[in-house]
Each structure stands twice: as C-alpha cells, then as structure tokens.
Amino acid sequence: MDKMLAKIGMRTKRAEISTRLESSRMEMSAVTGWLSKVRYKIFGREADKGLLFKIFIYLILIDAAYIYLKPVLHMVTSMVKDAPDLLDPSVNWIPRVIYFGNLQDAWEWLQYPKAFGLSMLLSTSVALLQTFSCAIAGYAFARLKVPFKPILFFFLLITFIVPLQLTILPNLVFARVLGVLDTVVPIIVPALFGLGLKGALFIIIYRQFFSTQPKELEEAARIDGANVFKVFFRVMMPLAKPAILVVFLFSFVWTWNDFYLPSMYLANTDTPPLSLGISRIASMIREQAEISGPSIFTEPISMATTFLMILPPIVLYVFAQRWFIEGVERTGIVE
C-alpha cells in the first residue's frame, strides 16, 4: 500500500509539474505574441508600414507644409491689420480687428477688374493654344517619320536651353515693325505655333507621353482606314488627357505669373496685367517713401496686392489638384 501511495504521489507531482510547465509555456507564448504585435505595430512588417516610419513621414510633411504656408499666413494676417495693430509689437499673427482697407486700396491701385481680365485673357489664350499646338508637334516628334527629325529636335532643345533674354530684342524690333507693340498679339500668337513661354518643354512632355503609347492602337486605326489626322484626334488625343491637363495648368500658371514678357511688350499700356501692375505699385510705394518717408501701410498694401495676384491660381489648383497630380504621375514629370 505504501508503495502504491508513493507511486500515486509521484504521478500527481509529475502532473502538477507538467501543468505548471504548460501554463508557463502558454504565458511565455502570450507574452511573446504580445511583444511581436507591439514590435510589428511600431516597426511594421515592412519598412514603410510601421508607426515610427509614419511619424517620421508626418514630421517631414508638417515641416514642409509649414515652410510653404508660413509666408502665405503672414501675408494674409498682415494685409488685414489696421494702424494700431501694425504699431503694436505684441500683435504678431492674429490681429485684434479685421481691416479690409489695405485690400481695398490694392484693388483700386491695381485696377483689379481690368487687370484681372487682361491676365485671364493672356493666360487662358496662351494655355489653350499651347495645349493644342504643342500636342501636334509632340506627336510628330514621337510618331511621324519627318525628314531631318533629329536635327529639328536638336533645334527644339536649343530653344529650350537658350534664355529668353537673348532673343527678346529682335522680337521687339519685329513687333514694332508689324505695329503690334503694346498689344497682347506678340504674347499670344507665338503660342499658336508651339512657341511662347516654355513651349519647348510642353512639346517634350507630349513627345514623352506619345512615345509610351502602344503602336498597335495606331496600326488598328489605320487598318480601319483612318488617316494620320483621325489617328491623332480620335485615338491619341483622348488618351493624352493627363498630358493635356498638365500642359494647360503649367502654361496657365507660368503665363499668369510671368513678368518679363508683359514688361517688354505691354510696358506703355494704361491697364497692365496683374504681374506688371504689382511691379508698378512697388515702384509707386518706393517713390512715396522717398518723398514723404516710410509708411506703416507699405507692407500691408504690398501683401494685399500679392494676395490678389496669387488668389486665382490657388483657386484653380484647389479644384484641379487631383487631376493635376494624376497627370503629373502618368506623364512622369517632376516639377
């Protein structure tokens, strides 16, 4: 009996020991699983899936956004300050009173409705013409068998490399001979032929896009009896919507912000475009400062004119940003 009881006791102890070992193993596996989850949550199963990587990315994005948004916020807050807020050093970002007098003065000095209409006419006309004409030239460079095409493309690259300032003098003389100086004709007409501001770059964008399209599309259209014009307008242009959008937006914004060409061709006009009007207002402010001394409203009025200048492109980008980003991605452009 004693031996049997001893054997039963030994078996019971072994069972207890095994149960304890099993429970400790389960606890260790639970702790290990929890640690694995925490590790995967922090570091991620891949390099770009972890919490640390996301925090790092968000820090970079916030810093970049702050760098670009700080001047805009400073501009907006400065242009709505009145005289007491401008003289009070404790008022930095948030004014006590919202004052629109500076914005009204800038509106009147710029002759904003007329200047806005002229800038919109120039930017829209040039953007539409360059979007169409550069598409034709880009398709020709990408798909058509044109005599001396490498030499012509070399000349295109030359026009892209050579600064505009080197060719402006003969263009001014030619515009004066034709009697179109101080009009919008010398700015709009070159866009009809794929020239104008950044025209060579837009041709290169179209050439890059059309070069990536499969040739089977053109071959199938030609088998169906389509000539080169039908292939271009009915097959290639509908596929080129991303490139069309990118070229149109780039052309519109660059023409809107351009100061050099209006200062050459529209220097003597009574109502200049906004880009030239801002320069004239800055000159007026400097002249007044030399005569009567500096004014506390110099900076707010300058900020107000700049705000009225950049407002239309910002509104355009707000509505077109999704399609613009998709177009940049599909055309492979890094700006």
Side-chain angles (χ1 to χ4, degrees):
M1 288 295 293
D2 294 337
K3 291 181 178 181
M4 292 179 62
L5 291 174
K7 289 180 180 181
I8 292 171
M10 289 295 292
R11 291 175 182 175
T12 304
K13 291 181 179 179
R14 289 176 182 175
E16 291 177 355
I17 293 171
S18 62
T19 303
R20 292 175 182 176
L21 290 174
E22 186 66 25
S23 62
S24 63
R25 289 173 184 172
M26 293 177 63
E27 291 177 357
M28 288 295 295
S29 62
V31 172
T32 305
W34 181 79
L35 291 176
S36 299
K37 290 181 180 179
V38 172
R39 185 185 66 183
Y40 290 141
K41 189 70 175 177
I42 296 176
F43 299 100
R45 296 181 182 273
E46 298 179 5
D48 58 343
K49 302 297 183 181
L51 182 62
L52 288 179
F53 181 81
K54 292 180 180 179
I55 292 174
F56 176 71
I57 292 297
Y58 277 109
L59 287 176
I60 294 177
L61 293 176
I62 291 172
D63 290 340
Y66 175 77
I67 292 172
Y68 285 101
L69 289 178
K70 182 182 177 182
V72 178
L73 295 176
H74 176 71
M75 174 180 61
V76 174
T77 56
S78 297
M79 74 179 186
V80 295
K81 290 181 180 179
D82 57 0
D85 287 339
L86 291 171
L87 294 173
D88 191 352
S90 63
V91 179
N92 190 8
W93 287 101
I94 302 175
R96 296 189 181 94
V97 179
I98 304 299
Y99 176 67
F100 293 103
N102 300 318
L103 197 61
Q104 183 178 358
D105 292 339
W107 181 286
E108 295 174 355
W109 288 7
L110 282 173
Q111 301 178 10
Y112 193 75
K114 295 181 180 180
F116 174 81
L118 181 58
S119 295
M120 186 62 67
L121 173 65
L122 282 174
S123 301
T124 306
S125 301
V126 171
L128 290 175
L129 292 175
Q130 283 187 327
T131 300
F132 178 72
S133 60
C134 294
I136 296 176
Y139 178 74
F141 279 116
R143 294 298 197 185
L144 301 183
K145 294 181 179 180
V146 181
F148 308 108
K149 186 166 69 173
I151 298 176
L152 294 175
F153 189 72
F154 173 75
F155 288 147
L156 176 69
L157 294 178
I158 292 297
T159 62
F160 177 66
I161 296 171
V162 173
L164 183 62
Q165 290 79 3
L166 295 180
T167 59
I168 192 62
L169 184 58
N171 290 332
L172 284 174
V173 173
F174 189 53
R176 184 179 296 277
V177 171
L178 294 178
V180 295
L181 199 61
D182 295 327
T183 65
V184 298
V185 174
I187 301 177
I188 294 179
V189 170
L192 180 62
F193 303 97
L195 300 174
L197 191 64
K198 307 291 185 180
L201 175 62
F202 300 146
I203 294 174
I204 294 172
I205 291 173
Y206 277 118
R207 177 182 177 273
Q208 177 184 354
F209 181 84
F210 289 131
S211 299
T212 59
Q213 302 305 311
K215 295 183 178 180
E216 290 77 10
L217 295 173
E218 293 175 295
E219 294 174 354
R222 286 169 180 162
I223 290 174
D224 292 337
N227 55 23
V228 64
F229 298 102
K230 290 184 178 180
V231 171
F232 175 72
F233 286 106
R234 297 187 179 183
V235 178
M236 304 306 290
M237 284 300 285
L239 295 175
K241 290 180 180 178
I244 290 173
L245 182 62
V246 168
V247 169
F248 178 82
L249 289 178
F250 277 165
S251 178
F252 182 89
V253 173
W254 282 336
T255 305
W256 181 276
N257 294 328
D258 181 45
F259 166 78
Y260 186 73
L261 288 179
S263 66
M264 294 291 105
Y265 293 115
L266 303 174
N268 298 320
T269 55
D270 295 331
T271 304
L274 290 175
S275 59
L276 189 57
I278 289 179
S279 176
R280 291 186 179 182
I281 289 179
S283 299
M284 291 170 54
I285 291 175
R286 286 195 297 268
E287 291 176 359
Q288 291 181 358
E290 292 176 357
I291 296 173
S292 58
S295 173
I296 60 172
F297 292 103
T298 298
E299 182 181 0
I301 291 178
S302 300
M303 296 298 176
T305 55
T306 305
F307 175 78
L308 292 175
M309 172 72 184
I310 68 173
L311 182 61
I314 289 177
V315 173
L316 176 64
Y317 179 75
V318 167
F319 287 100
Q321 60 175 330
R322 182 169 66 89
W323 298 280
F324 176 70
I325 294 173
E326 290 178 359
V328 170
E329 291 177 351
R330 292 189 62 181
T331 53
I333 303 170
V334 178
E335 176 61 20

